[in-house]
Amino acid sequence: MDIWTIGVILYFMLYKKNPFGISCREELINILNNPIDFDPAIVLSPSAKNLIEKCLSKRAIDRPNIR
């Protein structure tokens, strides 16, 4: 299991829904081809955004590891 999967599972446990709100393959491809869109109404520190971006990196090798 990698960091991406852990993030998705935690989100689902907290919100009881898919974190991406996808319903078809085309939407999944769109998510994978576009950058993360942070809601400007929610204030996050630069380090928090950086952590999220790293955990949701497209390539597994770019994601942090559990250690």
Side-chain angles (χ1 to χ4, degrees), residues 25-57:
R25 181 182 170 102
E26 289 78 20
E27 290 176 358
L28 176 60
I29 291 169
N30 189 37
I31 287 168
L32 296 176
N33 289 331
N34 291 322
I36 300 166
D37 184 24
F38 291 100
D39 184 346
I42 299 172
V43 179
L44 290 177
S45 70
S47 58
K49 286 183 180 181
N50 186 39
L51 176 61
I52 292 168
E53 289 172 336
K54 285 183 179 180
C55 288
L56 297 178
S57 292

